[in-house]
Amino acid sequence: MDSIDMMYLQTEFQLPAKSRGCHLVTREILAHLPALPQTGLLHLFLQHTSAALSLNENADPDVRHDLAAILDRLVPERQSYFQHTLEGPDDMPAHAKASLIGPSITLPITHGKLNLGTWQGIYLCEFRNRAGARRVVVTVCGA
């Protein structure tokens, strides 16, 4: 069996501040990626605890609206059992939603491009009312 030289590359960038909701950011992320290997994996990690990354519908914006509404209903603000309340009524629900969705996604790289399905796009799920820019760590491994 021939040995394959694996490459590993890591970089960081910022997504600009977004309003509360689910935002399709595939193009923004692609613009910040280094040259991709022919085959491999791309891992995106969001360095924040009140936002998340997700892979979902990229065509109909109603999906983004509905997903945000579902999450708001699952984790409503101003619950009497919340103890972490000093940073505003949206903060503790933002942490809970971020835990439900998660801070990272891993995507396949095929023929030097992301191998996304026809209707798949990358979302930044912003759960704070007044969030700042969000830092993303990109790790590429492949051959």
Side-chain angles (χ1 to χ4, degrees):
M1 178 181 276
D2 294 333
S3 70
I4 298 175
D5 290 329
M6 295 293 288
M7 68 163 267
Y8 293 90
L9 183 110
Q10 192 168 78
T11 187
E12 297 181 21
F13 67 91
Q14 284 192 341
L15 289 170
K18 306 271 187 208
S19 60
R20 183 170 168 167
C22 297
H23 304 276
L24 187 63
V25 294
T26 309
R27 286 187 189 148
E28 289 174 74
I29 288 176
L30 289 173
H32 287 94
L33 295 183
L36 298 176
Q38 281 298 298
T39 304
L41 294 172
L42 171 73
H43 185 261
L44 301 170
F45 175 75
L46 192 65
Q47 292 184 312
H48 300 275
T49 61
S50 56
L53 292 174
S54 180
L55 188 67
N56 216 308
E57 165 77 45
N58 70 356
D60 187 348
D62 288 345
V63 173
R64 296 188 295 277
H65 174 270
D66 291 349
L67 181 59
I70 289 165
L71 290 166
D72 285 344
R73 190 164 187 173
L74 282 173
V75 188
E77 294 180 7
R78 294 180 168 81
Q79 297 303 300
S80 61
Y81 52 86
F82 289 163
Q83 294 182 19
H84 179 72
T85 59
L86 293 177
E87 295 179 54
D90 63 331
D91 190 44
M92 188 58 229
H95 294 312
K97 293 170 194 176
S99 288
L100 290 171
I101 302 297
S104 64
I105 56 176
T106 302
L107 305 168
I109 299 167
T110 306
H111 303 299
K113 295 181 181 177
L114 293 185
N115 194 349
L116 299 176
T118 302
W119 306 112
Q120 289 181 319
I122 302 167
Y123 287 12
L124 170 66
C125 301
E126 179 55 68
F127 303 126
R128 294 301 308 266
N129 291 328
R130 290 182 261 312
R134 299 299 193 171
R135 290 182 313 278
V136 179
V137 178
V138 176
T139 304
V140 178
C141 63

